[in-house]
Amino acid sequence: MIPYEIDFDSLSKKIKKLGFQDILIQLPEGMQIYAEEIADNLEDFNVFISANPCYGACDIEVYPNILTIQFGHSKIPNIEYPENIIFVEAFSKASFNTALNSFLKIADCQNVGILASVQHIKAINDVRAFLEEHNIRVFVGKGDSRITYPGQVLGCNFSAAREIKNNVDCFILLGTGEFHAWGAKIVGGKDVFVLDPYTGRAKKVNGGSFLRRRYAAIAKAKDAQKFGIIVSSKIGQKRWKLAKNLKKIVEKEGRKAYLIMTDNVVPENFYYSVDAYVNTACPRLTYDDYSRFKKVVLSPIELLIALGIKDWSAFSFDEIVEVDK
Amino acid sequence: MIPYEIDFDSLSKKIKKLGFQDILIQLPEGMQIYAEEIADNLEDFNVFISANPCYGACDIEVYPNILTIQFGHSKIPNIEYPENIIFVEAFSKASFNTALNSFLKIADCQNVGILASVQHIKAINDVRAFLEEHNIRVFVGKGDSRITYPGQVLGCNFSAAREIKNNVDCFILLGTGEFHAWGAKIVGGKDVFVLDPYTGRAKKVNGGSFLRRRYAAIAKAKDAQKFGIIVSSKIGQKRWKLAKNLKKIVEKEGRKAYLIMTDNVVPENFYYSVDAYVNTACPRLTYDDYSRFKKVVLSPIELLIALGIKDWSAFSFDEIVEVDK
C-alpha cells in the first residue's frame, strides 16, 4: 500500500485531458519501492518507470511525446519547465503531536518559526494550532520565487526562514535528518529543532560542527593551484554563468580552473587532476557528500574566501535563488 | 602526453567555423585521464568537461548553444544526431606485428576475416598486408548502416562479420578484451582470435562458456511472472517500440511487465519487485553486467525463448541494427 495521499482517478483524468498515452514516472528514492504499484494504478497508459535517481523538482527528465509525472516534489515556481511535465505532491499523514510535546520540554521559545519539507507542508496548520494553544506566537515565512508553499524549505533554499528570522526565538523544522536544519541554522542564525514525526522526538541541531568542517575545507583549499568547477546540467541546478564567472576569478588570481559538467554527480568518478572542487550544482553535494570526493569541495562563496577575495565573515550557506535560462 | 592522434589545430578551426564559443567534451572512460590536457589544447573556447560516463556514439549529451565534441568514437551513420555535435576519432598507433606472429603459430586459417574496434581501424591495412605476405586471403566486411568503417565492430553490431562469415575460416579481432570477440563468434559461427597489440598475444576465444551462461539465464526466467523491461533514453540505444512490443507479448502470455527507463543503467539501483529483467538498451549490459543485477537479465530474443514462443535454436547475439526516431 502506498502510504501517501495520491488521487489516481483525478490524475488519470488529467493525463487523458492533456492527451498523452505514454507517461514517464519519476520518483524520489524513498518512493521507488512503490514504482510498480503506482504503475498498476495507471494501467490506462503506457507507463515508463524512470530508474534514474530523482533529487527534486530541480531534476527532471523530459522526452518528446511523453508526459513526465514527478511524484513527491512541488514545482519550483521560478523554473521555466517544458510543457510535458506535471508534479504530483505526496503528502504524509504523519502527526507531529508527540514530537511537539518533546519540543515543549526541551525548548523555551515564545516566538517560533515553522519550516517544513514539502511532504510535511500540510502539517503546518496543525502544528501552528498546537503551539498557539500553548501560548506561543507562530511565524511562517512565504519564501522567495523558488518556493511554492509558505514555510517550505528546499535543500538549496531557506528564504522562508530568512524572512522571519528577526521575529522568532527559534525555528522548528518538520521532517527528518539534519541537512535542512543546518541550512536553517546558518541562514536564520537562531536555534533550530528538528521534529521527527516517526520517532516522535524533537532534537536541537548543533551548527558548530558544520561550521568547523566548512572552515577546515576553506583552509585546505587556500593553496590550491587547480580548481575543478562542478556544473550541473539539471534544469533547476543550472548556474553556468556563475561557474564561468568563478573560472575567470580563479584565472585572474593566476590559478587554473576547469569546468566539469555532469547530470548526476557521482563523486567516485571525480578523479580529475585538480587540487580542489568548487560546486555550483546542488549545494547538498558540498555539505553532505564532501567526504565521498577525493579532494576538498567548496561552495562558491567559500572559493572567494579561500582565494582571499572575501573575508571569513562573508561565510554563508550556499542557496540557489535562481537558475540560468 | 595524449597517446592518440588528435589534430587540435584543425579542430579549433572547425569549432570557430561552426561559430561556437562554449564546447562540451565527452570522453570514453579510458580517455578521461586526459580531460584537463585536452581542455588545455582548446583554450580559445569555454570548455566544459563532461563527467558523465560515455559509452559510445550511441551515448551523446547535447545542450542548446554548446558544441558537443565526442572523442574516441566514430559517428553512427544511421542515427539522426542534433546539429551541435561532432565526433573526433582517436586512433591508436599500436602495432599488431607481434600479435600477428603469435596468431600464425596458433591458428591454421587460409581465409581470414579482419574485425576491429574503432581505435584500431587504421591498423587493418597493415594487418591485411602482413597476412597477404603469408599467403592468407583476407576479407573485410562493409557492415550495415550502423557502421562507419569496413571491418568495424561495435559492442552491439557485428554486421561486418556476418557479411563475410561464409568466406572465411576464422576471424581476427584487433583490440582488447573478450566482449567483441564473443559477439563475432556467435554471429559469425567461426573461430575468433583476439589480437591484443599491448600484450602482443593472440588468443582464441571460447564461445562455449558464453552460451552456457545464456542458456542458464533463459532456464531461470522460464517461470518468471513479472518482467522489468529495461529501456534506454540514449539516442543510439532507443528501442522503445521493441520494448512496448515485448510488454504486449508478455501480457498476452498472462504475465506482467513494467517498462523501466534510464539513462545510465546502474544495476545496483535495480531493486524492482520483478522476477527477471529484459534489456533493450546496450546489449553489453545483458552479457557483461548481468552479475551485478540481483535478478536474471535476458535479451529480447531470450525472452521469447523463455516464454516458449521461440525455440532454443533461435538463439542469437542481441544486436542493435536501428533505433527509434
Side-chain angles (χ1 to χ4, degrees):
Chain A
M1 277 287 293
I2 305 166
Y4 301 97
E5 297 172 18
I6 301 174
D7 180 348
F8 285 105
D9 281 343
S10 344
L11 181 57
S12 289
K13 277 179 200 150
K14 192 168 178 179
I15 301 165
K16 278 176 193 159
K17 207 173 153 194
L18 290 166
F20 287 91
Q21 188 52 44
D22 291 355
I23 60 175
L24 176 78
I25 287 177
Q26 273 197 298
L27 300 166
E29 200 182 345
M31 289 185 77
Q32 269 283 3
I33 50 166
Y34 306 110
E36 295 91 332
E37 205 173 333
I38 291 172
D40 289 342
N41 275 286
L42 295 164
E43 276 185 338
D44 289 353
F45 310 95
N46 290 326
V47 179
F48 291 83
I49 296 164
S50 170
N52 295 323
C54 174
Y55 296 105
C58 55
D59 180 11
I60 63 162
E61 285 179 74
V62 285
Y63 305 102
N65 308 318
I66 293 186
L67 178 70
T68 294
I69 306 175
Q70 185 174 112
F71 287 84
H73 304 125
S74 56
K75 188 170 176 169
I76 297 177
N78 74 352
I79 292 180
E80 284 185 23
Y81 291 104
E83 282 191 355
N84 52 337
I85 177 158
I86 58 175
F87 293 85
V88 177
E89 291 135 343
F91 297 114
S92 163
K93 299 170 191 168
S95 158
F96 284 88
N97 282 355
T98 313
L100 279 163
N101 280 311
S102 160
F103 166 73
L104 291 181
K105 277 180 204 144
I106 61 168
D108 182 25
C109 309
Q110 290 313 303
N111 300 286
V112 170
I114 308 181
L115 305 170
S117 49
V118 67
Q119 70 268 35
H120 299 298
I121 211 78
K122 282 198 171 176
I124 289 183
N125 284 337
D126 289 344
V127 171
R128 174 197 283 274
F130 180 102
L131 292 172
E132 286 176 348
E133 272 171 33
H134 289 80
N135 300 315
I136 291 171
R137 280 188 74 192
V138 169
F139 296 83
V140 179
K142 213 169 86 50
D144 67 17
S145 64
R146 201 166 163 85
I147 295 301
T148 306
Y149 296 106
Q152 186 187 2
V153 287
L154 305 174
C156 62
N157 189 297
F158 297 89
S159 52
R162 191 180 294 103
E163 270 180 26
I164 54 170
K165 67 180 182 176
N166 294 328
N167 304 112
V168 305
D169 312 316
C170 74
F171 287 100
I172 62 176
L173 185 82
L174 310 180
T176 52
E178 295 214 345
F179 181 76
H180 289 83
W182 287 339
K185 170 86 185 167
I186 306 300
V187 166
K190 301 289 168 71
D191 284 346
V192 178
F193 296 84
V194 179
L195 270 57
D196 183 327
Y198 307 112
T199 64
R201 287 169 61 182
K203 193 188 164 194
K204 188 169 146 184
V205 296
N206 176 0
S209 59
F210 174 80
L211 282 175
R212 281 194 295 278
R213 279 201 300 278
R214 301 319 310 156
Y215 290 153
I218 294 169
K220 264 194 203 166
K222 277 191 181 306
D223 298 322
Q225 292 305 308
K226 281 168 122 183
F227 291 88
I229 301 175
I230 301 172
V231 182
S232 175
S233 57
K234 293 188 194 297
I235 190 170
Q237 300 180 17
K238 273 174 79 171
R239 294 194 284 177
W240 299 4
K241 275 183 210 144
L242 170 66
K244 288 198 236 177
N245 206 18
L246 294 175
K247 183 170 187 277
K248 276 186 201 143
I249 291 170
V250 168
E251 286 166 353
K252 211 174 149 193
E253 298 292 317
R255 314 195 198 185
K256 293 199 82 165
Y258 297 95
L259 299 173
I260 299 171
M261 182 144 82
T262 183
D263 178 26
N264 292 316
V265 177
V266 181
E268 293 71 14
N269 294 351
F270 277 65
Y271 42 76
Y272 295 95
S273 66
V274 297
D275 305 310
Y277 291 105
V278 182
N279 172 34
T280 69
C282 174
R284 190 152 190 161
L285 289 167
T286 312
Y287 303 136
D288 241 11
D289 289 352
Y290 66 94
S291 63
R292 289 169 53 205
F293 285 89
K294 291 171 198 83
K295 310 282 170 65
V296 67
V297 186
L298 302 180
S299 72
I301 186 71
E302 291 169 355
L303 169 68
L304 301 185
I305 300 172
L307 292 174
I309 294 168
K310 292 268 187 184
D311 192 77
W312 294 85
S313 65
F315 180 85
S316 64
F317 199 89
D318 186 28
E319 292 178 84
I320 300 186
V321 176
E322 55 184 352
V323 289
D324 297 354
K325 288 193 176 157
Chain B
M1 277 287 290
I2 305 166
Y4 301 96
E5 298 173 18
I6 301 174
D7 181 347
F8 285 104
D9 282 343
S10 341
L11 181 57
S12 291
K13 277 179 201 148
K14 191 168 180 178
I15 300 165
K16 278 176 194 159
K17 207 174 153 194
L18 290 167
F20 287 92
Q21 187 52 43
D22 291 354
I23 60 175
L24 176 78
I25 287 177
Q26 272 196 299
L27 300 166
E29 199 182 345
M31 291 184 77
Q32 268 284 2
I33 50 167
Y34 305 110
E36 295 92 331
E37 205 172 333
I38 290 172
D40 289 343
N41 275 286
L42 294 165
E43 277 185 336
D44 290 353
F45 309 95
N46 290 327
V47 179
F48 291 83
I49 296 164
S50 171
N52 295 323
C54 176
Y55 295 105
C58 54
D59 181 12
I60 63 161
E61 284 178 75
V62 287
Y63 305 102
N65 307 318
I66 293 187
L67 178 70
T68 294
I69 307 175
Q70 185 173 111
F71 288 83
H73 303 126
S74 56
K75 189 172 175 167
I76 297 177
N78 75 351
I79 291 180
E80 284 184 21
Y81 291 104
E83 282 191 355
N84 52 335
I85 177 157
I86 59 175
F87 293 85
V88 176
E89 290 135 343
F91 296 114
S92 163
K93 299 171 189 170
S95 158
F96 284 87
N97 282 356
T98 313
L100 279 164
N101 279 312
S102 160
F103 166 73
L104 291 180
K105 277 179 205 145
I106 61 168
D108 183 25
C109 308
Q110 291 313 303
N111 301 286
V112 169
I114 308 182
L115 305 171
S117 48
V118 66
Q119 69 268 35
H120 298 298
I121 211 79
K122 282 198 171 176
I124 288 182
N125 283 339
D126 289 344
V127 171
R128 174 196 284 275
F130 180 104
L131 291 173
E132 285 176 348
E133 271 171 31
H134 289 80
N135 299 315
I136 290 172
R137 281 187 72 193
V138 169
F139 296 83
V140 179
K142 216 169 82 44
D144 66 18
S145 63
R146 201 165 162 88
I147 295 300
T148 306
Y149 296 106
Q152 186 186 0
V153 286
L154 304 175
C156 62
N157 190 297
F158 297 89
S159 52
R162 190 180 293 106
E163 271 179 27
I164 54 171
K165 67 179 184 178
N166 295 328
N167 304 113
V168 306
D169 312 317
C170 74
F171 287 99
I172 62 175
L173 185 82
L174 310 180
T176 51
E178 296 215 344
F179 181 76
H180 289 83
W182 287 339
K185 170 84 184 168
I186 305 299
V187 166
K190 302 287 169 73
D191 284 345
V192 178
F193 296 84
V194 179
L195 270 59
D196 183 329
Y198 307 112
T199 64
R201 287 168 62 183
K203 192 188 165 196
K204 187 168 144 184
V205 295
N206 175 1
S209 60
F210 174 81
L211 282 175
R212 281 192 295 278
R213 278 201 300 279
R214 301 320 309 157
Y215 290 153
I218 295 169
K220 264 193 204 169
K222 275 191 183 304
D223 298 321
Q225 291 304 310
K226 281 167 121 184
F227 291 88
I229 301 174
I230 302 171
V231 183
S232 174
S233 56
K234 292 187 194 297
I235 191 170
Q237 300 180 17
K238 272 174 80 170
R239 294 194 283 177
W240 299 4
K241 275 184 212 146
L242 170 64
K244 288 198 236 178
N245 207 16
L246 294 175
K247 183 170 187 278
K248 277 185 201 144
I249 290 171
V250 168
E251 286 166 351
K252 212 175 147 192
E253 297 292 317
R255 313 195 199 186
K256 292 198 84 165
Y258 298 95
L259 299 172
I260 300 171
M261 182 143 83
T262 185
D263 177 27
N264 291 315
V265 178
V266 180
E268 292 73 13
N269 294 352
F270 277 64
Y271 42 77
Y272 295 96
S273 65
V274 297
D275 305 309
Y277 291 105
V278 182
N279 172 33
T280 69
C282 174
R284 191 154 190 160
L285 289 168
T286 312
Y287 303 136
D288 242 10
D289 289 351
Y290 65 95
S291 63
R292 288 170 54 207
F293 286 89
K294 290 169 200 87
K295 309 280 169 65
V296 67
V297 186
L298 303 180
S299 73
I301 186 71
E302 290 168 356
L303 169 68
L304 302 185
I305 300 172
L307 293 174
I309 294 168
K310 291 267 187 186
D311 192 77
W312 294 85
S313 64
F315 180 86
S316 65
F317 200 88
D318 186 29
E319 292 178 84
I320 300 186
V321 176
E322 54 183 353
V323 288
D324 298 353
K325 289 194 176 156

